[in-house]
Amino acid sequence: MKNLYQTVMSDAAGAPYLPQLLFRDALLPELLGDDKGAIGYWAGKSLARKFPLANPKDAATFFRQAGFGTLALIKQSGQMTRWQLSGEPVALRKQLTTTPDFTLEAGFLAEMMAQQLGIATEAELVDSPRKLRNQAVTFDVYTDPDDVIPDYDAPTPLTILGEPDAPDSDPDATE
């Protein structure tokens, strides 16, 4: 791994991500060893249960607010949904190591969709297009409509609060 501190702090937009990157890319891999991917995926699913989201717009806002990056729904078909995660935190993590771990985000997306649909889901990291390889990651979330979650009770979605700089959250705006 390249020098985390130097890489993050030499990027003007990187400083706010230093605490998260210290934890995720320096400390956790050392503590979890070879199990970091499986534990990261499970942790992402656990977070999604604690912070249930109602729709892709809420997911994009939550991911940005959590410092994960910019989440976009790229493609949706019958049993697969493709998401792309980009932005400063993703680019920084990709600069730090040749094998950054995004299993937390994958687990979150899988559980989020399971909650929304009431069916079993799995997520995997797939190759991003070549031109985005250094700045984005792509996830495919697969659903199985035949694998309904027994006794499913949809959670009440988290109420997403607007960000201070978001256009729809201007406190001086009139109705």
Side-chain angles (χ1 to χ4, degrees):
M1 176 188 294
K2 295 179 185 172
N3 184 307
L4 187 142
Y5 180 80
Q6 295 297 328
T7 301
V8 173
M9 296 309 289
S10 65
D11 183 322
Y17 300 104
L18 182 63
Q20 179 190 148
L21 296 175
L22 284 171
F23 183 71
R24 285 195 66 186
D25 296 312
L27 181 60
L28 280 181
E30 186 175 324
L31 293 174
L32 303 177
D34 293 339
D35 295 326
K36 75 178 179 177
I39 293 172
Y41 191 82
W42 171 85
K45 289 176 83 84
S46 179
L47 281 175
R49 288 195 242 4
K50 289 180 171 111
F51 302 98
L53 302 174
N55 56 56
K57 182 181 175 194
D58 285 355
T61 301
F62 182 83
F63 267 57
R64 188 175 50 258
Q65 290 172 337
F68 294 159
T70 303
L71 182 68
L73 177 63
I74 301 297
K75 175 178 153 185
Q76 195 162 20
S77 63
Q79 295 180 2
M80 190 273 293
T81 305
R82 178 163 289 164
W83 298 87
Q84 186 174 77
L85 184 62
S86 60
E88 193 67 26
V90 174
L92 285 168
R93 294 185 72 216
K94 285 182 158 261
Q95 280 181 348
L96 292 170
T97 179
T98 56
T99 57
D101 182 55
F102 291 95
T103 55
L104 180 91
E105 293 87 343
F108 193 102
L109 290 170
E111 182 64 25
M112 175 190 77
M113 291 191 65
Q115 290 174 355
Q116 292 172 359
L117 302 172
I119 57 178
T121 61
E122 290 291 327
E124 68 180 11
L125 195 63
V126 295
D127 287 335
S128 293
R130 181 174 289 243
K131 66 182 180 180
L132 297 175
R133 215 163 265 152
N134 293 331
Q135 56 196 348
V137 291
T138 304
F139 305 94
D140 284 350
V141 180
Y142 296 97
T143 57
D144 183 355
D146 296 328
D147 194 358
V148 176
I149 299 170
D151 301 321
Y152 177 69
D153 186 18
T156 302
L158 181 68
T159 300
I160 297 295
L161 302 177
E163 295 178 273
D165 58 350
D168 58 344
S169 64
D170 182 4
D172 297 326
T174 57
E175 293 185 31

